């Protein structure tokens, strides 16, 4: 793997243990965080941390997006008018706008469900 280093004859990842996570992370495409955020927000408003937890839960832990993936995505979606962000108890609550709902359901935008792809690849077993 590209992010490992040999140490005392054992394979070790840099930083935290990413053994399960790292293998599956490569399957997540660039637009998946965006699509997953829109899909989850269509169900209910959430805070950024809740979005990360929901993505992890929906994939049975196979996908654990980082704050560095979630928060810039939220900011971009807000800039595009697809979500609104309001302060709620010191945290930012993210809600899908009508424009966001329309975007999500417009086949022309090609938003696909990343959860289906990740859970399907896990059901097939390791690649």
């Amino acid at each position: 793997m590209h992010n490992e280093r040999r140490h005392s004859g054992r394979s070790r990842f840099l930083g935290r243990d990413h053994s399960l996570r790292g293998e599956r992370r490569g399957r997540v495409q660039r637009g998946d965080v965006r699509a997953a955020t829109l899909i989850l927000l269509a169900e209910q408003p959430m805070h950024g941390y809740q979005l990360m937890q929901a993505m992890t839960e929906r994939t049975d832990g196979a996908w654990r997006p980082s704050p560095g993936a979630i928060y810039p995505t939220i900011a971009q979606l807000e800039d595009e008018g697809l979500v609104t962000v309001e302060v709620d108890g010191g945290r930012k609550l993210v809600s899908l706008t009508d424009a966001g709902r329309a975007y999500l359901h417009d086949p022309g935008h090609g938003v696909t469900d990343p959860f289906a792809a990740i859970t399907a690849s896990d059901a097939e077993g390791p690649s």
Side-chain angles (χ1 to χ4, degrees):
M1 291 193 206
H2 69 350
N3 199 20
E4 64 184 11
R5 149 188 334 172
R6 297 279 176 200
H7 180 67
S8 303
R10 295 182 301 175
S11 172
R12 294 180 54 176
F13 284 87
L14 303 175
R16 294 186 301 180
D17 178 14
H18 295 284
S19 56
L20 178 63
R21 217 167 94 170
E23 292 174 17
R24 294 187 178 140
R25 180 171 276 178
R27 295 182 190 161
V28 177
Q29 301 298 314
R30 179 178 287 269
D32 286 350
V33 173
R34 178 185 177 90
T37 300
L38 291 168
I39 289 167
L40 291 169
L41 293 175
E43 296 172 6
Q44 69 181 15
M46 294 185 185
H47 301 283
Y49 183 73
Q50 289 174 304
L51 286 164
M52 288 185 285
Q53 286 183 311
M55 290 176 197
T56 300
E57 289 170 9
R58 288 260 176 116
T59 61
D60 292 326
W63 182 27
R64 295 181 179 153
S66 69
I70 296 294
Y71 292 106
T73 299
I74 291 170
Q76 180 181 6
L77 293 171
E78 184 180 26
D79 288 347
E80 294 174 24
L82 303 179
V83 303
T84 59
V85 179
E86 59 186 66
V87 177
D88 174 41
R91 297 188 307 171
K92 295 178 179 180
L93 184 64
V94 185
S95 302
L96 200 60
T97 62
D98 289 339
R101 286 185 196 288
Y103 180 91
L104 181 60
H105 297 294
D106 181 351
H109 292 292
V111 178
T112 57
D113 185 348
F115 300 117
I118 292 168
T119 55
S121 67
D122 286 343
E124 294 170 3
S127 49

